[in-house]
Amino acid sequence: MIPSVNKSGSRTIGLLAYLYETGKYEDHTDPHLVASFDGMSPDPGRDPNATLKDLQQLLDQPVMALPKHARPAKHVWHTSVRSDPDDRILSDEEWADIARRIVAATGIDPGDGQPGCRWAAVRHADDHIHIVATLVTEDGHRPDDYRSGARAQAEARLIEKELGLHQVAPGDGTAAQRPTSAERHKAERQGRERTAREELRETVRRAVTGASSDEEFFERLAAAGLLIRTRAAPSGDLLGYKVALPDDLNKDGEPVFYPGARLAPDLSLPRIRERWSGDVQDQDNPTPQQADAVRTGLGAPAGARRKTASAAWQAMLLVQQGDDAVAAAHIAAAGEVLDALATTSAAHTRRELREAATAFERASRSHVRAVRGHDRALRQAARELVHGGPALGRGEDGATTAMAIEMLFFLITAAAHWHAKKGHAQQAEAAARAAEHLRTAYQAAAAQPLGVLYQRGRHLSRPMLQRQTVMLREALPGLAEQILTEPGWYALATTIAEAEATGHDPAALLSDAVERRELDTADSVSDVLVWRLRRTAELPADASPLSENGTTSRESSTRRTATRPNAPGGRRSAERISGKTL
């Protein structure tokens, strides 16, 4: 049950006209009063002799009794209270009791002999009511409605338990501001699927992804078609910004601007700058891996996805074992990676990835303040995804997309566990939803490349499969029998053959892949091991053809093995696998 408080109105009659309107809005089917401050207020919905003006004058009477100069300019308090779509339909009597509890909890009409405001609760649909009140008490004073939104939420949690309704996870004040009823209905009139606030929040979030300076951030906002206004100090230093959609206008025909902080707490300019302030060291002194990426052209979509998989692999360990500030930084940066991957992935995975990014936005913030700088690898991965451009849904692009999604699934699952341990209920729930969207996206991305690997595994020689089975049982005695019964075993067999053909020790690779991370949340252990081995062994993600003698014919794999330093006898030790290359 979600109460949404908005107390900035100035015309009681205008709000009542909206609440009783039946011609414009599909959910306005039977507007009528379910409760009011005195239990006897006129109901224009059920009483043919009552008018909106009658109800408005009754509610406004304490306001109009004040001298004109003492009347508050904005005196209309309004909240909607909406049940969950899966909840049963509540009766008018139940909604009436909910309305009375909400106005009491928020200080609008506290009861117990204390002077309250005049209010009325209107129901015009099965799943919600609207409460309208005027912010002057019967004795002419301002009500004690401080933090009425938070108080309404707390009361809603109690109501849910008592009525057996869906229980919403309690918030901690770090969520983005919800669209108001006026914003939602404006979006409906304009034929938008989402409100302007929601569109702007997503666009700004994507513009931040992987950005490294004010200039780049504002260039991305402009390229996305947003109107931008900035605020500067007398010294000329930039202090803040606000954005608008070109076609979202107010009644005067002017664009409606939203400051970044009103879109989400972490989208204010100072908070955004914290992200790239930690990147300065890397920009000035690129790591050997970054320099190598530039030389070998790994800015392409497939290379960016490989880097994303590696960064997610390392970040998962830090979320699980690092201190809170470091974990929070990686969780926040994971949101950037999801945005970047959703923006650049092929059509068959894009929708689920966008849903994952949208869901995880709530999980990226908590009261644990992220210490930026620790998340450089993830932010750099997001940046390379953006600059690598759109990926194809096939070949190396498609296979590395599956690899990246698989690694991100485990990172986001780790984030859900971290939030749950900290008591961050909404964030944990949001991360879990994001993980489910990633699971669906993975299935779409992995079907083709795993199918190719499976078919090649089915055609491996019987002696080779028997030798791999023995090796698997020796390397992973606790998992081998499960893996051998999974459909993905043949894809893993292909991967083991390729790894061995390029000079790796498959047993060491398998042991390392299992020991370093948990596999409890995996639908298929063999699938997970396929991607971990292909990433660690630097095998092409879309499979390398094997000759009859079991050696790979892909020149790039051979060339990487031949030129890799410190690889005695063409084999990499378990120490090297578990250390520098991960």
Side-chain angles (χ1 to χ4, degrees), residues 372-420:
R372 294 293 185 170
H374 299 285
D375 55 351
R376 282 194 293 269
L378 278 177
R379 292 208 75 245
Q380 182 64 23
R383 182 175 180 80
E384 292 190 14
L385 285 169
V386 172
H387 287 278
L392 300 175
R394 59 186 183 276
E396 189 74 2
D397 281 7
T400 52
T401 296
M403 179 187 292
I405 294 173
E406 188 265 343
M407 295 294 182
L408 285 168
F409 170 83
F410 285 101
L411 172 57
I412 299 310
T413 300
H417 293 163
W418 184 84
H419 279 305

Side-chain angles (χ1 to χ4, degrees), residues 451-464:
V452 172
L453 292 169
Y454 173 87
Q455 290 300 327
R456 291 183 180 170
R458 293 284 295 180
H459 289 87
L460 290 175
S461 66
R462 184 178 297 275
M464 179 177 286

Side-chain angles (χ1 to χ4, degrees), residues 429-478:
E429 184 180 69
R433 288 200 314 272
E436 287 307 306
H437 286 296
L438 286 175
R439 190 191 298 273
T440 304
Y442 168 77
Q443 292 167 351
Q448 190 275 335
L450 284 179
V452 172
L453 292 169
Y454 173 87
Q455 290 300 327
R456 291 183 180 170
R458 293 284 295 180
H459 289 87
L460 290 175
S461 66
R462 184 178 297 275
M464 179 177 286
L465 284 172
Q466 290 174 340
R467 182 162 51 83
Q468 290 183 354
T469 299
V470 172
M471 182 273 297
L472 183 70
R473 285 174 171 151
E474 291 176 351
L476 305 179

Side-chain angles (χ1 to χ4, degrees), residues 216-396:
E216 184 177 9
F217 170 56
F218 287 115
E219 284 174 3
R220 291 185 183 183
L221 291 180
L226 300 190
L227 302 178
I228 309 164
R229 289 181 181 173
T230 56
R231 180 169 57 89
S235 63
D237 293 337
L238 194 61
L239 299 177
Y241 74 99
K242 53 186 178 180
V243 289
L245 297 174
D247 56 350
D248 180 40
L249 309 177
N250 61 20
K251 59 183 177 61
D252 298 321
E254 299 170 336
V256 180
F257 282 87
Y258 292 81
R262 288 187 57 200
L263 298 176
D266 57 345
L267 293 183
S268 67
L269 189 58
R271 292 291 301 276
I272 287 173
R273 282 170 167 164
E274 290 177 5
R275 306 189 189 203
W276 51 69
S277 64
D279 299 340
V280 174
Q281 180 181 351
D282 276 355
Q283 293 168 6
D284 294 340
N285 301 292
T287 65
Q289 292 85 352
Q290 290 172 326
D292 185 62
V294 173
R295 288 194 301 271
T296 57
L298 292 182
R305 279 153 176 72
R306 278 186 172 274
K307 181 160 187 174
T308 296
S310 296
W313 174 271
Q314 293 291 351
M316 180 167 57
L317 180 62
L318 292 170
V319 169
Q320 292 172 335
Q321 301 179 9
D323 63 36
D324 287 350
V326 172
H330 283 89
I331 290 171
E336 293 192 48
V337 174
L338 288 176
D339 278 319
L341 193 62
T343 303
T344 59
S345 287
H348 68 299
T349 57
R350 191 178 304 138
R351 178 176 178 179
E352 289 295 337
L353 289 173
R354 283 181 173 174
E355 293 290 343
T358 299
F360 194 72
E361 186 265 346
R362 179 66 190 96
S364 64
R365 293 184 303 273
S366 70
H367 283 302
V368 178
R369 190 66 176 267
V371 177
R372 294 293 185 170
H374 299 285
D375 55 351
R376 282 194 293 269
L378 278 177
R379 292 208 75 245
Q380 182 64 23
R383 182 175 180 80
E384 292 190 14
L385 285 169
V386 172
H387 287 278
L392 300 175
R394 59 186 183 276
E396 189 74 2

